[in-house]
Amino acid sequence: MTARVSQENFDEVVKENMEDFEMSPEDAVHDAIEQFHKQGVSLDNLDLSVPNDENREARAAYVAACDLLDNSINPQGKVSVEAIEEDPAASVERVVQALLTIQESCSPQADAPKAPVGYKVITRDSVFRSLLVTNSGIFTLMSMLGVTASKPILSENENENDEDAPPTINKPTLSTSTTSKNDEGPVRKILLATLSCLRLLVKESQELRDAFLAQKLLVRLLKEPSWLSDVEVASSLLALVKASSKATESNKAYFVNAGGLQPLMDAVNMHLPNSEPKVLGEVCMAVGVLCKFDDFRKEMSSAHDNAREISNIGFVPVLNKIAKLSDELDHTQLAMAVMGAVRVLAVNDEIVQGIVASGLLDWVRSSLEKHMSSPFLVSAAIGCFRNISGNDEIKTNLVNNGALDQMLVGMKHHLDVGNVQEHGCGTLAAMALRKPENVVILIEKGGATAVATALKRHPNNIQLQRQGCLAVRNFIVRNQELRDMILDCGLEPLLKFAGKYQGAVDEAYAALRDLGCEGVGMKKYDADGKEIKLQMFGEKKANFNSSLAESNDIENRVQEKATAPAHSNPELF
């Protein structure tokens, strides 16, 4: 286990260096770091800036806020307004203020002090966030989500047989009881403050997202009609679902397995008649996170299954209604949220066909034309085209129905926006794949020129470089007659430049190979850093038997080589 010291101990050593050895503040900090590192002590959880009165006051306020919240929760993990008001040292206002203090302390600071040169930058806000894990403060905050108006009747084994309870944890008890009955005023204040605080914390820290175990509690809150009908509470709950599930596969699974998808539909059905864009937008963004594979620490993802489940409960037709509402309200943010959901739901032909049949694809195209000046919406719309182009029939329709023309116009409007250009190159690559007849139209309408411009304008965007190379490769692989037209766009040197990146070398090499160019200067390395030689097609004689003569002795030869499992590996038995 890694040895650690408290912030107070570190500050005391710095203070001794300054007072006893007359060091400058910077030298005192550097010496303290060296001392602790020699002793094998980790300082990753500490603020390594020079201690001063301002820092001490901020830490004291933070610790006091955490203590007040801890004292508001009983040993069973329950918290109630009634119990808070009975405590002479607490009140609803003080609890809300404590939550606000924690949120402000953990908010990123633009002018945060830097760590000494050569050391990891640890800012004060990141230290406070880390402490919520080490001192179990995150469990206190999650318990605050279960705040009730009156004291609950406690049972020693209340959650013992509760199949919906959160995973067992060796930390302070996390209650999953919720209610919005009785006096909702104080409860609502505490709940909203808790949701705001937790949303900031999990948004800023992967460590806190991993420690967040309250997805099932969020589902229970969303199932409360009084909370779901409350625009501010419902949108805050959905925003926390989104923030806590981002890049965290376990939280996506916890939410879906707890039955969280149906409350998303319930939220839409409740707020769509009232034309409430805030809640509807949060639903769409939550779907966008739940159906996206973004936790690359895991080999498997539930994103594809989540998309199918959401589609199965009828979300696509409802999404089309939200899209039409965004037009009626001229609400660009809501339109982008809808497009984000459309993009992640397009995981198979059945869903894609449903998206087309509902009119969503036509809506995306018309919205792109209408909001061409917005780089964010243009990027979202082209992202939809990109994923939907996985269907061969529909991508051909996109090439011919004006969507391609609008996309190219959008790329020209936003030449310096990396997301627009990367999505554009990716869509061109998808439209060209296995469709030589599409390639002819793409080249005629300036697809190769658009790719060349994107590669030239964004030389440091590796994902864009990769997609651009892939697009060129798909252009030429079945359309050799277009070689000169493609090369005339100046793509050869751009492909060679892209080949310098390990993330794009394979695609750049394949594009140059199919164009008949040499991949000069390209190098690829294996996991151990050893160079892998890249060979141009035809440099090495193919290793296969050119004879097609049949053999009548295959069965006998197979029997001769066949061995029993025990013979080939005696250790199996």
Side-chain angles (χ1 to χ4, degrees):
M1 185 175 180
T2 304
R4 293 182 182 273
V5 294
S6 67
Q7 185 71 56
E8 290 73 18
N9 287 343
F10 178 82
D11 290 348
E12 189 63 31
V13 172
V14 173
K15 183 180 178 182
E16 288 178 2
N17 286 342
M18 294 171 63
E19 294 178 353
D20 297 347
F21 301 101
E22 299 182 350
M23 293 184 183
S24 68
E26 291 75 17
D27 289 341
V29 170
H30 185 79
D31 182 76
I33 292 172
E34 290 291 342
Q35 289 184 47
F36 284 117
H37 277 184
K38 287 179 181 178
Q39 298 172 35
V41 176
S42 171
L43 305 178
D44 287 349
N45 63 322
L46 302 183
D47 178 358
L48 303 183
S49 60
V50 178
N52 53 43
D53 292 339
E54 182 184 356
N55 287 348
R56 292 190 182 95
E57 290 176 3
R59 292 171 195 153
Y62 174 82
V63 171
C66 291
D67 289 343
L68 189 147
L69 295 182
D70 282 340
N71 294 332
S72 300
I73 301 172
N74 68 23
Q76 287 74 30
K78 309 286 185 178
V79 55
S80 69
V81 171
E82 184 180 349
I84 290 172
E85 296 290 6
E86 289 177 356
D87 185 351
S91 67
V92 171
E93 287 71 23
R94 290 191 65 185
V95 168
V96 171
Q97 183 57 48
L99 289 163
L100 182 60
T101 298
I102 293 174
Q103 181 174 340
E104 291 176 346
S105 299
C106 296
S107 297
Q109 300 169 318
D111 56 346
K114 303 296 183 182
V117 176
Y119 293 93
K120 180 181 178 182
V121 177
I122 303 293
T123 57
R124 188 169 66 192
D125 56 283
S126 66
V127 171
F128 286 146
R129 290 194 297 270
S130 180
L131 285 174
L132 288 172
V133 176
T134 57
N135 68 7
S136 302
I138 184 64
F139 294 96
T140 297
L141 292 171
M142 287 189 287
S143 293
M144 297 301 294
L145 289 172
V147 61
T148 60
S150 57
K151 290 181 182 179
I153 299 174
L154 302 178
S155 170
E156 291 184 1
N157 300 316
E158 183 175 8
N159 290 328
E160 191 171 294
N161 299 317
D162 185 359
E163 295 181 357
D164 290 330
T168 302
I169 51 177
N170 297 320
K171 299 290 183 183
T173 304
L174 173 60
S175 169
T176 58
S177 297
T178 66
T179 180
S180 58
K181 298 178 181 179
N182 302 324
D183 181 8
E184 296 180 5
V187 173
R188 185 175 184 274
K189 287 181 181 179
I190 294 176
L191 181 58
L192 283 173
T194 303
L195 290 169
S196 178
C197 183
L198 282 170
R199 184 169 67 250
L200 179 279
L201 294 171
V202 297
K203 177 184 176 183
E204 297 295 334
S205 170
Q206 180 65 62
E207 187 178 23
L208 288 172
R209 283 198 295 275
D210 290 336
F212 188 81
L213 301 175
Q215 295 286 6
K216 295 177 181 180
L217 181 49
L218 292 181
V219 172
R220 293 189 182 188
L221 287 165
L222 284 168
K223 288 181 177 180
E224 291 269 1
S226 55
W227 288 144
L228 193 61
S229 61
D230 186 314
V231 172
E232 190 174 1
V233 173
S235 58
S236 296
L237 284 167
L238 292 165
L240 182 53
V241 171
K242 174 188 67 179
S244 61
S245 299
K246 184 177 181 181
T248 311
E249 185 61 35
S250 58
N251 285 348
K252 298 179 201 282
Y254 289 156
F255 182 79
V256 174
N257 292 339
L261 298 184
Q262 188 56 49
L264 298 183
M265 281 290 291
D266 295 340
V268 173
N269 293 331
M270 183 173 290
H271 293 278
L272 187 58
N274 301 324
S275 301
E276 177 47 60
K278 189 173 182 180
V279 174
L280 298 175
E282 289 294 349
V283 170
C284 292
M285 288 188 283
V287 169
V289 171
L290 292 170
C291 300
K292 182 179 181 181
F293 176 34
D294 54 2
D295 188 352
F296 301 110
R297 301 170 301 171
K298 307 290 185 180
E299 294 183 0
M300 303 292 290
S301 172
S302 61
H304 189 279
D305 292 335
N306 294 345
R308 288 192 302 172
E309 285 194 45
I310 291 175
S311 176
N312 288 340
I313 62 176
F315 191 73
V316 170
V318 170
L319 199 57
N320 188 44
K321 294 180 181 179
I322 302 175
K324 291 178 179 178
L325 176 63
S326 72
D327 282 345
E328 294 173 9
L329 301 176
D330 195 20
H331 202 297
T332 306
Q333 294 291 329
L334 181 58
M336 289 190 294
V338 173
M339 290 179 187
V342 171
R343 183 186 173 195
V344 298
L345 288 175
V347 297
N348 60 35
D349 284 344
E350 182 181 355
I351 298 176
V352 169
Q353 293 288 354
I355 290 172
V356 175
S358 69
L360 274 169
L361 189 55
D362 290 334
W363 169 81
V364 171
R365 185 162 56 87
S366 63
S367 293
L368 173 59
E369 185 177 14
K370 180 180 178 182
H371 299 283
M372 194 64 74
S373 61
S374 169
F376 302 107
L377 189 138
V378 170
S379 176
I382 298 177
C384 288
F385 293 157
R386 180 178 181 176
N387 281 29
I388 288 174
S389 290
N391 181 290
D392 285 351
E393 179 183 352
I394 294 173
K395 71 185 177 187
T396 299
N397 292 337
L398 291 174
V399 169
N400 294 286
N401 69 2
L404 169 62
D405 302 273
Q406 291 172 9
M407 183 184 78
L408 293 174
V409 171
M411 293 178 72
K412 288 180 181 178
H413 269 68
H414 306 286
L415 291 172
D416 295 321
V417 181
N419 283 342
V420 170
Q421 301 301 315
E422 194 262 330
H423 278 319
C425 289
T427 305
L428 289 169
M431 287 176 168
L433 183 65
R434 298 187 301 272
K435 287 290 181 177
E437 62 275 17
N438 286 356
V439 174
V440 174
I441 300 173
L442 295 176
I443 300 301
E444 287 177 353
K445 294 192 174 185
T449 301
V451 171
T453 302
L455 292 173
K456 189 180 299 183
R457 296 289 282 261
H458 300 272
N460 300 319
N461 188 326
I462 299 177
Q463 272 298 326
L464 186 152
Q465 295 287 316
R466 178 179 180 274
Q467 291 300 323
C469 295
L470 191 59
V472 175
R473 199 265 174 175
N474 290 351
F475 289 163
I476 191 62
V477 68
R478 299 189 184 189
N479 296 77
Q480 289 293 323
E481 73 280 3
L482 301 176
R483 177 179 180 275
D484 291 340
M485 291 180 65
I486 294 172
L487 289 174
D488 286 345
C489 296
L491 280 162
E492 183 177 356
L494 295 171
L495 293 171
K496 290 179 178 178
F497 178 85
K500 296 178 182 179
Y501 294 115
Q502 289 299 293
V505 62
D506 286 334
E507 292 76 13
Y509 184 79
L512 287 166
R513 176 197 64 202
D514 292 340
L515 283 167
C517 306
E518 293 185 2
V520 179
M522 291 191 184
K523 294 183 179 180
K524 185 177 180 181
Y525 301 91
D526 61 18
D528 298 325
K530 296 180 180 179
E531 182 179 346
I532 302 173
K533 183 175 179 357
L534 294 171
Q535 294 177 328
M536 294 302 293
F537 186 75
E539 286 182 351
K540 183 178 180 180
K541 185 177 179 181
N543 183 23
F544 66 91
N545 186 353
S546 59
S547 173
L548 298 179
E550 295 183 358
S551 171
N552 295 322
D553 195 33
I554 292 179
E555 185 175 349
N556 292 334
R557 292 172 64 185
V558 169
Q559 290 297 327
E560 289 175 2
K561 297 293 183 180
T563 56
H567 182 270
S568 59
N569 188 359
E571 295 182 1
L572 289 174
F573 297 89

